[in-house]
Amino acid sequence: VLQNDEADRPTILDVARHCGLSKATVSKALNAPDGSTLVSDHARARVRRAVEELGYRPSWRGQVLARRRSQAIAIAYSAPVGAVPRGVYWEIVDSLEEFLGARDYIPTFLHLRQADDRVERMLGDGRFDGCISLGLIAPPVLEMMRRHRVPAVLINSNAGPEWCRVNVNDLGGGRLLMRHLLDLGHRRILYYAGKAVLDHPSARDRYEAYRVSMIEAGLKPRPPFVGAVEDFAKTIKAGGRDAPTAVVDFEHFSAIRLLQALWRQGVRVPDDVSVGTFNDTHPAADVIPPLTTVALPGREMARQAVEMLLRKLDDADFAQRTHTVTLDESLVVRESTGVPRGNE
Amino acid sequence: VLQNDEADRPTILDVARHCGLSKATVSKALNAPDGSTLVSDHARARVRRAVEELGYRPSWRGQVLARRRSQAIAIAYSAPVGAVPRGVYWEIVDSLEEFLGARDYIPTFLHLRQADDRVERMLGDGRFDGCISLGLIAPPVLEMMRRHRVPAVLINSNAGPEWCRVNVNDLGGGRLLMRHLLDLGHRRILYYAGKAVLDHPSARDRYEAYRVSMIEAGLKPRPPFVGAVEDFAKTIKAGGRDAPTAVVDFEHFSAIRLLQALWRQGVRVPDDVSVGTFNDTHPAADVIPPLTTVALPGREMARQAVEMLLRKLDDADFAQRTHTVTLDESLVVRESTGVPRGNE
DNA sequence: CTGAAAGCGCTTACAG
DNA sequence: CTGAAAGCGCTTACAG
C-alpha cells in the first residue's frame, strides 16, 4: 500500500524544474560544503529558494541507496534483562546517542536475543554503516560481524585484540575500592560474585583485584561467594566474631538487593558491615545507605568508541589496523562504607 | 569512500544470472508467500539454491527505495534525563521491541531534545514508516508529525483525541492506592507532587484520585506538596501529632528518595508513615522497605500501540479515523504501607 | 560551473 | 508462470 503522504511529496526533479536547473546541480547545491566552488552562488540561491517554496526535503531512502551509506549505527546489546540497555550502560548509551548525533549518525538498538537469522540479516543487509556493541558478545555474533565485514567497536567486551575495543580497567578500579576498605582498617573482607562468577573479563578482574589486594596487605583472600544475595546476607549474619567487616559486591544491582537482605537480617550497614560495589549508576546514591561505588567513565567510553568507529569508516589506513583503548575507573565514597567496629 | 565489503557483494542480478532466470522472477521467488502461484516450484528451488551458493542477501537499501517502506518505527521520547527511556518506560520499550520485531519492524529511538530541524528532518525524510511516542510530547513535535503525515500512536501523552492514543487510567489507579490506605485506617494522608505538579495528565489524574477519594471518605484533601523531597520529609517529621500517617508520592523515583530522606530524619516507614507510589519498576521492590506501588500495564500498552500503528499502515479505512484505548492499572502491595500507629 | 547519463539494488505493473 | 522495462529518488563521474 502506498502511503498518501508520498503522493504529493516533491522530489529533486520537482526542485530542478522549479528553478530551471538540473537534478545534478540541485544535488550539488544541497550537498557541497559552503565554501565550495562546485556550484555558483547564483545557482545556490535559486535552489535554496525553490527548496523553500516547495517544502522539499531530500528523501532519505533515495540518499541511502545512492550514497551506499545509511548513517545508522547499530548499538548491539544482549541484555540479560530486556531490550534496552540499562544499569551501567545508561550513561554510555546516552553519550553514544549524543556523540553520534553530533556527527549526524543515528543509533539503532539491536537486541541480540540470540545469534539467529534475524540478527544475521540485520548485520548483513547493509542497513547499518557500523556497529558498537555493549558488554558480553556471543562468539556467533562476532562471527557474523566478521563475515559481513561490519565495521565494529566493542565496548567492555570479552573479545580479543583482533577487534577494535574500548575497555575499562576493572583491575585498577577494584584496587581503588580495596585500598579504601583497607585504609579504613578492614581485615576480614569477603567478595560477593553473584551467580555470574567469571563469565566476563570485568567479573574476573574485579575478583582478581580483591585477591591481589588482600595478598599485598598480608591477608588471606577468600574464594568468591557464589549464590543468592539472601544466602550471603545470612552467612554474614551467622559469622559472629569471624563475620566479615566489609564486603565487595561485583555490581550495584545486586548490592542494592544485598542492602535489603542485610536489613532483613538486622545487620546494619556500615556499622556492622561495610558494602562497596561497582557501577555508579542510579539508584546507587538514593538507597539506604547511599552506596560507595567504583564509577566507570561512561561518557568517555562512548566518546572513544564513536571516534574510533567513525574514523574506521572514513580512514582506510586506520581501518586496516586494530585498536584498543583502556580507561580508568574512579572511586565514589558514600555512606555504605565506614570504619570497622572496634576500630572507631 | 566506498566500503570494501560492498565490492564483492552479490546483487539480485548475480543471482538471476547464476540460475538463468530474470531479476523479476528471483524477486518473486524471494518475496512471494510460500503457497503463492506467482512463481513455479521449479524456479523457487533454483533461486533458493543460487542464493545459497552465492551467499546472497537482499540489500536493505535497495528494498527500502523500491518498496517505499523502511520497516523502521521511531520511538519518540523526550527524556527529562538522557537519551534512553527509563523508569516506567523500560517495560514498555522492551515490549515494543518485542512486538515490532515479531512483525519484522525495527524500532529506532528518536530523542526529542527539542523540536529542531534535526527532528523535523528525521520525521520528514521518509526513514520511518511510523512513530510511537512515549509520555509528554511537545506541541511543535506534534505539529511536525501532522505536517509530514507521519502515522503515529501516542502512548501516555498529553495529546487530544485527534490523535491515536494508548492511555492509562491513572484516576482509577490512584483510587486503588487511596482505597488501600483508607482501608488500612489512614485518615491524615498527604500527596507529594514533586516539582512537576500538573504538566502531565497523569500527574493531574493522580492528584485528582487523591482529592476525590479523600472527599468520598469524608476527609479534607490537602493541596499537593510541591518542593524538594527533603523538605517534604522535614514537614512530615515536624508534624508531631498532626503528622500524616500516610503519603502518596506521584512516582517511584521520588518515592525512593523520599524513603532515604525519611530515614535521615529518623522517620520509620511504615511504622511512622506509610508511603505509596506509582510505577512498579526497578528498584521499587528492592529498596528499604519494598514499595507499595500502582503498576502500569506496560506490556499491554506496548501491544496495543504496535497493533494500532501497524494496522494504520495497512488499513486505509482504519487510518482514516482516530482511536484511543485506555488501560487500567493495578495495585502491588508491599511493605512500605501498613496500619497507622495506634490502629494496630 | 552545469547537465545528460548512468548507476545504486531492488520491486512492480504489464505483456506475453 | 516468466521477463523486459520502467521506476523508486537520489549521487557521481564525465564531458562540455
Side-chain angles (χ1 to χ4, degrees), chain A residues 22 24-25 28 37-38 40 65 68:
Chain A
S22 70
T25 302
K28 282 169 203 151
T37 123
L38 247 170
S40 68
L65 185 56
R68 301 166 181 75

Short mmCIF file of all heavy atoms in Angstrom, two decimals, chain A residues 22 24-25 28 37-38 40 65 68, chain C residues 1-9:
data_model
loop_
_atom_site.label_atom_id
_atom_site.label_comp_id
_atom_site.label_asym_id
_atom_site.label_seq_id
_atom_site.Cartn_x
_atom_site.Cartn_y
_atom_site.Cartn_z
N SER A 22 19.40 21.56 -13.37
CA SER A 22 19.34 20.10 -13.46
C SER A 22 19.34 19.48 -12.07
O SER A 22 19.72 20.11 -11.09
CB SER A 22 20.55 19.59 -14.23
OG SER A 22 21.71 19.78 -13.45
N ALA A 24 21.35 17.32 -11.07
CA ALA A 24 22.74 17.25 -10.61
C ALA A 24 23.13 18.55 -9.90
O ALA A 24 23.74 18.52 -8.82
CB ALA A 24 23.67 17.01 -11.80
N THR A 25 22.79 19.66 -10.48
CA THR A 25 23.16 20.93 -9.88
C THR A 25 22.42 21.14 -8.56
O THR A 25 23.00 21.63 -7.58
CB THR A 25 22.85 22.09 -10.84
OG1 THR A 25 23.57 21.86 -12.05
CG2 THR A 25 23.28 23.41 -10.25
N LYS A 28 24.16 19.11 -6.00
CA LYS A 28 25.41 19.73 -5.56
C LYS A 28 25.14 20.92 -4.66
O LYS A 28 25.81 21.11 -3.64
CB LYS A 28 26.23 20.16 -6.78
CG LYS A 28 26.93 19.00 -7.45
CD LYS A 28 27.50 19.43 -8.79
CE LYS A 28 27.70 18.23 -9.69
NZ LYS A 28 27.57 18.59 -11.12
N THR A 37 33.41 25.57 -4.63
CA THR A 37 33.24 26.25 -5.92
C THR A 37 32.55 25.33 -6.92
O THR A 37 32.41 25.65 -8.10
CB THR A 37 34.63 26.67 -6.47
OG1 THR A 37 34.79 26.11 -7.77
CG2 THR A 37 35.74 26.16 -5.59
N LEU A 38 32.10 24.20 -6.43
CA LEU A 38 31.43 23.23 -7.28
C LEU A 38 30.15 23.79 -7.90
O LEU A 38 29.69 23.33 -8.93
CB LEU A 38 31.06 21.99 -6.46
CG LEU A 38 31.77 20.68 -6.78
CD1 LEU A 38 31.47 19.64 -5.73
CD2 LEU A 38 31.40 20.20 -8.16
N SER A 40 27.74 27.54 -8.38
CA SER A 40 27.77 29.01 -8.31
C SER A 40 26.84 29.54 -7.22
O SER A 40 25.86 28.89 -6.87
CB SER A 40 27.35 29.60 -9.65
OG SER A 40 25.99 29.35 -9.88
N LEU A 65 20.45 4.75 -0.85
CA LEU A 65 20.86 3.87 -1.94
C LEU A 65 22.00 4.49 -2.75
O LEU A 65 23.00 3.84 -3.04
CB LEU A 65 19.66 3.59 -2.85
CG LEU A 65 19.92 2.58 -3.97
CD1 LEU A 65 20.42 1.27 -3.41
CD2 LEU A 65 18.68 2.36 -4.81
N ARG A 68 25.23 4.75 -0.61
CA ARG A 68 25.69 3.50 -0.02
C ARG A 68 26.00 3.66 1.47
O ARG A 68 26.87 2.98 2.02
CB ARG A 68 26.95 2.98 -0.73
CG ARG A 68 26.76 2.73 -2.21
CD ARG A 68 28.11 2.56 -2.86
NE ARG A 68 28.03 2.34 -4.28
CZ ARG A 68 27.76 3.30 -5.15
NH1 ARG A 68 27.50 4.54 -4.74
NH2 ARG A 68 27.71 3.02 -6.43
P DC C 1 33.01 27.72 -9.51
OP1 DC C 1 32.63 28.79 -8.62
OP2 DC C 1 33.53 26.46 -8.91
"O5'" DC C 1 31.77 27.33 -10.42
"C5'" DC C 1 30.79 28.31 -10.65
"C4'" DC C 1 30.01 27.86 -11.85
"O4'" DC C 1 30.89 27.10 -12.70
"C3'" DC C 1 28.84 26.94 -11.51
"O3'" DC C 1 27.67 27.46 -12.15
"C2'" DC C 1 29.23 25.58 -12.07
"C1'" DC C 1 30.21 25.94 -13.17
N1 DC C 1 31.26 24.90 -13.40
C2 DC C 1 31.19 24.14 -14.57
O2 DC C 1 30.27 24.36 -15.36
N3 DC C 1 32.12 23.18 -14.79
C4 DC C 1 33.10 22.99 -13.91
N4 DC C 1 34.01 22.04 -14.16
C5 DC C 1 33.20 23.77 -12.71
C6 DC C 1 32.27 24.71 -12.49
P DT C 2 26.23 26.88 -11.94
OP1 DT C 2 25.25 27.95 -12.18
OP2 DT C 2 26.29 26.15 -10.66
"O5'" DT C 2 26.11 25.82 -13.10
"C5'" DT C 2 25.81 26.26 -14.42
"C4'" DT C 2 25.59 25.06 -15.31
"O4'" DT C 2 26.79 24.25 -15.31
"C3'" DT C 2 24.47 24.14 -14.84
"O3'" DT C 2 23.47 24.17 -15.85
"C2'" DT C 2 25.10 22.77 -14.67
"C1'" DT C 2 26.41 22.90 -15.44
N1 DT C 2 27.57 22.11 -14.94
C2 DT C 2 28.14 21.18 -15.76
O2 DT C 2 27.73 20.95 -16.88
N3 DT C 2 29.22 20.52 -15.24
C4 DT C 2 29.78 20.71 -13.98
O4 DT C 2 30.75 20.06 -13.62
C5 DT C 2 29.12 21.70 -13.16
C7 DT C 2 29.64 21.97 -11.77
C6 DT C 2 28.05 22.35 -13.66
P DG C 3 22.11 23.37 -15.68
OP1 DG C 3 21.06 24.08 -16.46
OP2 DG C 3 21.93 23.09 -14.24
"O5'" DG C 3 22.45 22.03 -16.44
"C5'" DG C 3 22.91 22.11 -17.79
"C4'" DG C 3 23.04 20.71 -18.35
"O4'" DG C 3 24.21 20.08 -17.78
"C3'" DG C 3 21.87 19.78 -18.02
"O3'" DG C 3 21.73 18.91 -19.12
"C2'" DG C 3 22.37 19.04 -16.79
"C1'" DG C 3 23.83 18.88 -17.13
N9 DG C 3 24.76 18.74 -16.00
C8 DG C 3 24.68 19.34 -14.76
N7 DG C 3 25.69 19.04 -13.99
C5 DG C 3 26.48 18.19 -14.75
C6 DG C 3 27.71 17.55 -14.45
O6 DG C 3 28.37 17.62 -13.41
N1 DG C 3 28.17 16.79 -15.51
C2 DG C 3 27.53 16.66 -16.72
N2 DG C 3 28.12 15.88 -17.62
N3 DG C 3 26.38 17.26 -17.02
C4 DG C 3 25.92 18.00 -15.99
P DA C 4 20.33 18.25 -19.47
OP1 DA C 4 19.57 19.18 -20.32
OP2 DA C 4 19.75 17.75 -18.23
"O5'" DA C 4 20.82 17.02 -20.34
"C5'" DA C 4 22.05 17.13 -21.08
"C4'" DA C 4 22.56 15.75 -21.41
"O4'" DA C 4 23.50 15.34 -20.39
"C3'" DA C 4 21.51 14.66 -21.45
"O3'" DA C 4 22.01 13.64 -22.31
"C2'" DA C 4 21.44 14.21 -20.01
"C1'" DA C 4 22.91 14.29 -19.61
N9 DA C 4 23.15 14.65 -18.21
C8 DA C 4 22.38 15.39 -17.36
N7 DA C 4 22.89 15.54 -16.16
C5 DA C 4 24.10 14.86 -16.24
C6 DA C 4 25.11 14.64 -15.30
N6 DA C 4 25.09 15.11 -14.06
N1 DA C 4 26.17 13.91 -15.70
C2 DA C 4 26.20 13.44 -16.96
N3 DA C 4 25.30 13.59 -17.93
C4 DA C 4 24.26 14.31 -17.49
P DA C 5 21.24 12.25 -22.46
OP1 DA C 5 21.48 11.79 -23.84
OP2 DA C 5 19.86 12.37 -21.93
"O5'" DA C 5 22.08 11.32 -21.47
"C5'" DA C 5 23.50 11.34 -21.54
"C4'" DA C 5 24.07 10.23 -20.67
"O4'" DA C 5 24.22 10.70 -19.31
"C3'" DA C 5 23.17 8.99 -20.58
"O3'" DA C 5 24.01 7.85 -20.58
"C2'" DA C 5 22.44 9.16 -19.27
"C1'" DA C 5 23.53 9.82 -18.43
N9 DA C 5 23.04 10.63 -17.31
C8 DA C 5 21.85 11.31 -17.20
N7 DA C 5 21.70 11.96 -16.06
C5 DA C 5 22.88 11.69 -15.38
C6 DA C 5 23.35 12.08 -14.11
N6 DA C 5 22.66 12.86 -13.28
N1 DA C 5 24.57 11.63 -13.74
C2 DA C 5 25.26 10.85 -14.58
N3 DA C 5 24.92 10.41 -15.80
C4 DA C 5 23.71 10.87 -16.13
P DA C 6 23.41 6.36 -20.68
OP1 DA C 6 23.92 5.77 -21.93
OP2 DA C 6 21.95 6.39 -20.39
"O5'" DA C 6 24.17 5.68 -19.45
"C5'" DA C 6 25.47 6.15 -19.10
"C4'" DA C 6 25.75 5.73 -17.68
"O4'" DA C 6 25.19 6.69 -16.76
"C3'" DA C 6 25.15 4.37 -17.31
"O3'" DA C 6 26.12 3.64 -16.59
"C2'" DA C 6 23.94 4.74 -16.46
"C1'" DA C 6 24.44 6.00 -15.77
N9 DA C 6 23.40 6.91 -15.29
C8 DA C 6 22.20 7.21 -15.87
N7 DA C 6 21.48 8.08 -15.18
C5 DA C 6 22.27 8.36 -14.07
C6 DA C 6 22.09 9.19 -12.96
N6 DA C 6 21.00 9.94 -12.78
N1 DA C 6 23.07 9.23 -12.04
C2 DA C 6 24.16 8.48 -12.23
N3 DA C 6 24.45 7.65 -13.24
C4 DA C 6 23.46 7.64 -14.13
P DG C 7 25.83 2.12 -16.20
OP1 DG C 7 27.07 1.37 -16.49
OP2 DG C 7 24.53 1.69 -16.76
"O5'" DG C 7 25.68 2.25 -14.62
"C5'" DG C 7 26.60 3.07 -13.89
"C4'" DG C 7 26.09 3.19 -12.48
"O4'" DG C 7 25.11 4.24 -12.42
"C3'" DG C 7 25.40 1.91 -11.99
"O3'" DG C 7 25.98 1.50 -10.78
"C2'" DG C 7 23.95 2.31 -11.82
"C1'" DG C 7 24.05 3.81 -11.59
N9 DG C 7 22.87 4.54 -11.95
C8 DG C 7 22.11 4.43 -13.10
N7 DG C 7 21.07 5.22 -13.11
C5 DG C 7 21.15 5.91 -11.90
C6 DG C 7 20.30 6.90 -11.34
O6 DG C 7 19.28 7.38 -11.83
N1 DG C 7 20.75 7.32 -10.08
C2 DG C 7 21.87 6.84 -9.46
N2 DG C 7 22.15 7.35 -8.26
N3 DG C 7 22.68 5.91 -9.96
C4 DG C 7 22.25 5.49 -11.17
P DC C 8 25.76 0.03 -10.27
OP1 DC C 8 27.07 -0.65 -10.22
OP2 DC C 8 24.64 -0.58 -11.01
"O5'" DC C 8 25.26 0.26 -8.79
"C5'" DC C 8 25.88 1.20 -7.93
"C4'" DC C 8 24.92 1.50 -6.80
"O4'" DC C 8 24.06 2.58 -7.21
"C3'" DC C 8 23.97 0.35 -6.51
"O3'" DC C 8 24.55 -0.46 -5.49
"C2'" DC C 8 22.71 1.05 -6.00
"C1'" DC C 8 22.81 2.47 -6.57
N1 DC C 8 21.78 2.84 -7.57
C2 DC C 8 21.02 3.98 -7.37
O2 DC C 8 21.21 4.64 -6.34
N3 DC C 8 20.09 4.32 -8.28
C4 DC C 8 19.93 3.57 -9.38
N4 DC C 8 18.99 3.95 -10.27
C5 DC C 8 20.70 2.41 -9.61
C6 DC C 8 21.61 2.08 -8.69
P DG C 9 24.76 -2.05 -5.79
OP1 DG C 9 25.67 -2.53 -4.74
OP2 DG C 9 25.07 -2.28 -7.20
"O5'" DG C 9 23.32 -2.65 -5.51
"C5'" DG C 9 22.75 -2.47 -4.23
"C4'" DG C 9 21.29 -2.87 -4.29
"O4'" DG C 9 20.58 -1.93 -5.12
"C3'" DG C 9 21.04 -4.24 -4.89
"O3'" DG C 9 20.10 -4.90 -4.07
"C2'" DG C 9 20.45 -3.93 -6.26
"C1'" DG C 9 19.70 -2.66 -5.94
N9 DG C 9 19.40 -1.82 -7.10
C8 DG C 9 20.11 -1.72 -8.27
N7 DG C 9 19.59 -0.89 -9.13
C5 DG C 9 18.46 -0.41 -8.49
C6 DG C 9 17.48 0.52 -8.93
O6 DG C 9 17.43 1.13 -10.00
N1 DG C 9 16.50 0.75 -7.96
C2 DG C 9 16.46 0.13 -6.74
N2 DG C 9 15.44 0.46 -5.94
N3 DG C 9 17.36 -0.75 -6.31
C4 DG C 9 18.33 -0.97 -7.23
#
